[in-house]
Amino acid sequence: MIARIWSGESPLWLLLLPLAWLYGLVSGAIRLCYRLGIKKAWRAPVPVVVVGNLTAGGNGKTPVVVWLVEQLRQRGVRVGVVSRGYGGKAERYPLVLDPQTTTEQAGDEPVLIYQRTGAPVAVSPVRSDAVKALLAAHDLQLIVTDDGLQHYRLARDKEIVVIDGVRRFGNGWWLPAGPMRERASRLRSVDAVITNGGEARTGEIPMRLQPGLAVNLKSGERRPVSELPAVVAMAGIGHPPRFFQTLADCGVATEKTVALADHQALSYLQVSGFIQPGQTLVMTEKDAVKCRAFADDSWWYLPVDAQLEGDKPERLLQDLLTLVR
């Protein structure tokens, strides 16, 4: 229903317009206060790059963060990541992740980024506190923030926006009448726009999510996902249909699909109930970090990598490298 409202297919979005106007008024006033200096943003002693979005829901932001961290580290940059840590409930903040940190403490996306990249990661509702904790623990040259485009309390040197190239901005209205946290005109003030899927428009960087080999959660075995039998697909991400379509594009005829809420906590009893004997469960990597501790032999995940196209990605990286030279 939300998807139909936000796309404009359902006229119910009209009933939500007063709340959307209020949302836009408040969010615009907050941004204006920071622009005018009425509110002060904290500036880190190292450059800060924000990777965020204008809409609610999954746009492929986390794969972009992983790509950016990996590319910068390959070029010799000591980079760390900070995040709000949605879904996590740490005993205290800021929390600097280590190999024992769980998704219950830090949230699924920070744990995924930490495990995938090996880069230092810290979480806190106050992102400046996370930055301070990272810098106290590590000698870093640059900080990437996973989300936080609208978190103006943290000053930033560069802003990168990721958009869903298929859904784009729906009906274009603020929450809750539409999917927008800020209006599309905000794109004029950011440093790069990465378009995940669909058709990138002039000036945007095209991106595709490239699936790798499926990985068994218990054994670590890798295998083409098309070779797995009787697949049940599970996705607890911002836009589950994208994952299901990825499996279909890989030649997988799923017997069932299970769409969960983004950042939803998972248990063995819940997840094991999605499949029957003889079936194989295939989930996203984001779900796998929550399930690895209690996984069965028939549970697999499908990692995806951001593939940015054209010459703009290299120009973007060179632009970021100038921040640390």
Side-chain angles (χ1 to χ4, degrees):
M1 175 59 76
I2 289 294
R4 295 189 69 248
I5 292 174
W6 286 357
S7 68
E9 295 176 14
S10 169
L12 291 178
W13 66 272
L14 293 168
L15 299 178
L16 298 172
L17 272 181
L19 292 176
W21 289 328
L22 178 61
Y23 182 99
L25 178 64
V26 172
S27 62
I30 291 173
R31 186 177 178 218
L32 182 62
C33 284
Y34 281 102
R35 290 181 62 186
L36 296 177
I38 299 172
K39 287 180 173 288
K40 299 294 184 182
W42 180 79
R43 181 165 292 279
V46 299
V48 171
V49 178
V50 171
V51 179
N53 49 38
L54 299 185
T55 60
N59 294 345
K61 172 180 51 60
T62 299
V64 170
V65 171
V66 170
W67 174 86
L68 190 61
V69 170
E70 291 177 339
Q71 292 294 321
L72 289 171
R73 296 187 89 195
Q74 288 172 15
R75 289 161 173 78
V77 179
R78 299 187 303 276
V79 58
V81 179
V82 300
S83 171
R84 166 65 177 84
Y86 291 105
K89 293 180 174 62
E91 292 183 3
R92 61 183 62 87
Y93 291 104
L95 173 67
V96 178
L97 276 64
D98 61 37
Q100 285 71 50
T101 303
T102 66
T103 57
E104 288 80 7
Q105 296 170 312
D108 44 27
E109 290 168 347
V111 173
L112 187 160
I113 293 167
Y114 178 76
Q115 293 182 354
R116 172 72 87 93
T117 67
V121 178
V123 300
S124 175
V126 181
R127 288 176 175 84
S128 59
D129 289 346
V131 173
K132 294 172 186 176
L134 270 190
L135 295 179
H138 300 276
D139 179 20
L140 301 176
Q141 296 172 290
L142 185 142
I143 299 292
V144 174
T145 77
D146 177 28
D147 208 356
L149 186 67
Q150 291 79 34
H151 187 79
Y152 292 110
R153 292 171 64 182
L154 178 62
R156 67 287 308 267
D157 298 271
K158 298 290 182 181
E159 294 180 326
I160 300 171
V161 168
V162 184
I163 66 175
D164 185 316
V166 175
R167 294 180 295 163
R168 292 196 72 87
F169 305 126
N171 61 15
W173 279 100
W174 291 293
L175 293 164
M180 306 300 292
R181 297 173 176 177
E182 296 182 272
R183 300 303 289 270
S185 58
R186 177 75 165 82
L187 293 179
R188 293 197 292 266
S189 64
V190 305
D191 299 281
V193 178
I194 297 174
T195 303
N196 179 16
E199 294 295 328
R201 298 183 180 177
T202 302
E204 299 174 353
I205 300 174
M207 181 186 104
R208 297 290 183 271
L209 292 178
Q210 180 63 41
L213 295 174
V215 182
N216 187 276
L217 270 71
K218 286 196 71 174
S219 68
E221 177 189 354
R222 295 175 180 269
R223 187 186 302 179
V225 69
S226 59
E227 295 181 2
L228 299 177
V231 168
V232 172
M234 183 185 84
I237 57 178
H239 187 53
R242 180 187 292 120
F243 179 67
F244 304 147
Q245 184 59 52
T246 296
L247 290 176
D249 293 341
C250 291
V252 178
T254 54
E255 295 192 353
K256 183 171 73 172
T257 59
V258 180
L260 304 173
D262 198 11
H263 308 294
Q264 180 174 330
L266 299 173
S267 67
Y268 174 79
L269 287 177
Q270 178 188 23
V271 177
S272 61
F274 295 143
I275 60 174
Q276 301 297 322
Q279 291 182 320
T280 303
L281 182 66
V282 178
M283 64 186 72
T284 71
E285 187 174 10
K286 184 172 169 179
D287 294 306
V289 297
K290 295 183 284 189
C291 297
R292 187 172 281 113
F294 52 78
D296 276 342
D297 294 336
S298 61
W299 296 10
W300 298 69
Y301 72 90
L302 185 67
V304 294
D305 292 304
Q307 301 288 329
L308 279 64
E309 303 169 2
D311 58 356
K312 290 188 178 68
E314 184 59 34
R315 294 207 298 267
L316 170 62
L317 290 169
Q318 292 302 317
D319 190 28
L320 298 182
L321 288 175
T322 62
L323 297 175
V324 298
R325 287 173 180 162

